[in-house]
Amino acid sequence: THGYILPKQPVYVGQYSLVVFLSHITRLPIFYIDSFFVPVLSAIFLPLVIEKTLKQVWNIPERVAINLTWVLPIIFYISLHLTTPHNVLLLLFIITIFAALAFMNNKLPATVPLILGIAGLGIHALLGAPIFLLVMTAIILKNYTKYRTALLVTYTVILIFLFPALFTLFFWLSGKPLPELSNPLSHIYPFLDLFRLPYWYEKDAGFFWNFLYLMQRVLPVILTLGAVLSFLYIGKKKKIADIHILFLLSFIGFWIGAYLLRSWIIFPDVGAYEQGDYPLRLIKSSIIFLLPWLMYGVYLVVEGVAQKMQRRFSMRAQKIFYTCFLCVCAIVITRSFYFSYPQENKKVHFPGYNVTEADFEAARWIDTDNTQYNYVVLSNPLTAIAAMTQFGFPKYFETADGLQSYYSIPSGGRLFAIYQKMLYE
């Protein structure tokens, strides 16, 4: 009615078009499909995929294997409670890793992980490209075992340089200035800054809140170390094939790739937040490569403790232990669930990346105060979204770069570059 949105580049079309298709097929509003798409698919497919893979590959009992799905919500930085192209790809990433593991153990045909890899490539290249690369390498390794070492080395090198290459290609195809190269050894601190506490954390908020958020900092380290140690322990015990080293190399490749993306490549006309956002996504996603071994490691630890309990303690003592164990698990999962959402407390003031009533109020005030639309608005994208939601696309300006919306939006427009200059400089 009031205009249209034309995607600048087809990097997110794989998810957006799918949501639109489902809306047309089901006649449900896009809002509900977009809100529940990832949470519902996660609830349906993850227990099924995890249970089947762990049971077939390592003979873990079905009732135990399906409960190992609870390891996932503990990893609060892998968010599966909302729908964005990145979150859709995270879900597909997890499913593909388990499918690839089953394929490499002759439990699935190659077509299953291959189709999943192609789907990931169609949704977003940042994680889709490495998923597809892993699947293709796994298929080749299965058929050419005598070239295993050469293939693994080649795969690791390609994976490390894949991310700088993808962004350079993207800028080149978009007609934007190419990224600048720098000496990665002299830019270690920008990479380390990815792990610093953001400005919205208070330094001192009392013992309880400081301890709670100390656990938030420690938990990713524990999970990462646990995943790596589980992989190495299981490998040493000859419970995995040599070919599975592909997953460990992928984990390492993501970390080195994130370092190069943050310290080696400097993107022109990209804000400070976006410069570090994509490397951080790679770091957070890296644990998915070792997720099956992390779950298997949890199983081995719990199973070992249970066997010792049966030999040394009475039934009453065992029941008390299991009750306490379940309570601790419930507390850890609940705490991780809390961390996965925006937080407002004595320690953290983080509203999240959400359109708020303040955005709508600001957009209404501007629109009422200036009825002729002879102005531009330099704002964050959320206020622009609030304006578009309420008023559509009432004004474009003719410029040397073509039509420009009167609100600054992060799609390559000049206004958003000016907004970032105002914000950061």
Side-chain angles (χ1 to χ4, degrees):
T1 304
H2 301 291
Y4 65 93
I5 303 175
L6 182 66
K8 295 283 185 180
Q9 299 91 10
V11 291
Y12 297 120
V13 173
Q15 185 244 325
Y16 291 157
S17 58
L18 180 59
V19 170
V20 173
F21 291 158
L22 290 174
S23 177
H24 284 297
I25 292 169
T26 62
R27 310 305 300 171
L28 292 172
I30 284 180
F31 172 81
Y32 293 108
I33 295 176
D34 196 46
S35 297
F36 292 103
F37 186 73
V38 169
V40 170
L41 289 185
S42 299
I44 293 172
F45 286 107
L46 287 179
L48 177 66
V49 169
I50 291 170
E51 179 265 318
K52 292 294 183 186
T53 304
L54 296 182
K55 181 182 177 183
Q56 291 178 347
V57 174
W58 289 312
N59 297 315
I60 297 177
E62 182 178 334
R63 65 178 182 82
V64 178
I66 200 167
N67 275 293
L68 288 170
T69 307
W70 288 106
V71 172
L72 261 173
I74 294 176
I75 311 175
F76 61 89
Y77 45 91
I78 299 180
S79 51
L80 298 172
H81 60 283
L82 52 89
T83 302
T84 68
H86 180 66
N87 296 74
V88 173
L89 201 51
L90 280 176
L91 173 60
L92 194 65
F93 192 172
I94 296 169
I95 294 173
T96 306
I97 290 301
F98 280 88
L101 179 62
F103 158 70
M104 294 170 79
N105 286 270
N106 303 312
K107 304 299 182 181
L108 271 183
T111 51
V112 176
L114 182 60
I115 290 172
L116 292 171
I118 294 172
L121 197 59
I123 292 174
H124 196 301
L126 181 70
L127 293 182
I131 291 173
F132 180 75
L133 179 64
L134 179 136
V135 170
M136 292 303 299
T137 305
I139 294 172
I140 295 171
L141 281 171
K142 284 276 289 183
N143 292 282
Y144 298 94
T145 54
K146 65 178 181 178
Y147 302 113
R148 182 173 296 169
T149 302
L151 285 169
L152 288 172
V153 171
T154 304
Y155 166 78
T156 306
V157 172
I158 292 174
L159 182 63
I160 288 171
F161 291 99
L162 176 64
F163 306 108
L166 282 174
F167 277 94
T168 303
L169 178 64
F170 173 76
F171 276 80
W172 180 67
L173 292 175
S174 304
K176 298 179 181 179
L178 294 180
E180 302 172 9
L181 297 180
S182 64
N183 181 0
L185 297 178
S186 63
H187 288 78
I188 296 176
Y189 289 108
F191 178 73
L192 296 178
D193 282 340
L194 296 175
F195 306 97
R196 295 184 186 277
L197 285 175
Y199 66 87
W200 54 77
Y201 280 69
E202 297 285 350
K203 290 184 178 180
D204 189 14
F207 174 78
F208 173 77
W209 292 107
N210 286 336
F211 179 76
L212 181 69
Y213 281 93
L214 176 63
M215 293 298 100
Q216 184 193 36
R217 300 277 286 172
V218 170
L219 188 58
V221 178
I222 294 174
L223 290 169
T224 302
L225 287 176
V228 174
L229 291 175
S230 294
F231 185 95
L232 297 176
Y233 173 79
I234 295 164
K236 186 177 179 181
K237 294 294 184 180
K238 307 297 184 183
K239 293 180 180 178
I240 61 173
D242 293 340
I243 196 173
H244 292 169
I245 196 68
L246 176 68
F247 295 91
L248 181 61
L249 292 175
S250 301
F251 169 82
I252 297 170
F254 259 47
W255 275 80
I256 299 176
Y259 173 72
L260 291 180
L261 199 59
R262 187 68 183 99
S263 62
W264 187 36
I265 299 288
I266 300 174
F267 300 105
D269 301 327
V270 175
Y273 173 77
E274 289 82 2
Q275 290 276 359
D277 182 52
Y278 288 111
L280 199 55
R281 288 188 188 187
L282 297 179
I283 291 170
K284 291 179 178 179
S285 306
S286 63
I287 195 172
I288 297 176
F289 287 111
L290 303 180
L291 189 58
W293 288 272
L294 177 61
M295 292 180 173
Y296 191 25
V298 171
Y299 164 71
L300 291 177
V301 170
V302 175
E303 187 72 8
V305 172
Q307 290 177 1
K308 289 184 178 180
M309 289 288 296
Q310 290 175 1
R311 290 195 300 265
R312 298 183 181 182
F313 297 95
S314 65
M315 286 296 296
R316 178 180 174 81
Q318 291 179 44
K319 287 182 179 180
I320 294 173
F321 170 78
Y322 288 129
T323 301
C324 294
F325 175 74
L326 289 174
C327 288
V328 170
C329 289
I331 291 170
V332 172
I333 291 172
T334 305
R335 184 188 61 190
S336 290
F337 185 70
Y338 179 74
F339 289 152
S340 67
Y341 276 87
Q343 298 134 50
E344 174 63 33
N345 53 56
K346 293 182 179 180
K347 180 69 175 178
V348 175
H349 308 282
F350 178 57
Y353 203 66
N354 302 296
V355 181
T356 65
E357 184 56 38
D359 293 303
F360 283 103
E361 185 179 348
R364 283 193 296 267
W365 183 87
I366 293 169
D367 187 78
T368 303
D369 193 57
N370 302 268
T371 56
Q372 300 302 314
Y373 295 109
N374 56 352
Y375 58 91
V376 295
V377 182
L378 302 181
S379 71
N380 68 67
L382 302 178
T383 308
I385 291 169
M388 292 176 186
T389 302
Q390 296 177 103
F391 311 115
F393 305 87
K395 182 67 176 181
Y396 285 88
F397 290 97
E398 290 278 2
T399 74
D401 298 323
L403 291 174
Q404 298 288 328
S405 171
Y406 71 122
Y407 265 85
S408 56
I409 53 177
S411 59
R414 291 288 299 278
L415 285 184
F416 195 71
I418 297 171
Y419 165 72
Q420 288 186 315
K421 188 176 182 65
M422 177 187 75
L423 179 65
Y424 295 116
E425 299 180 32

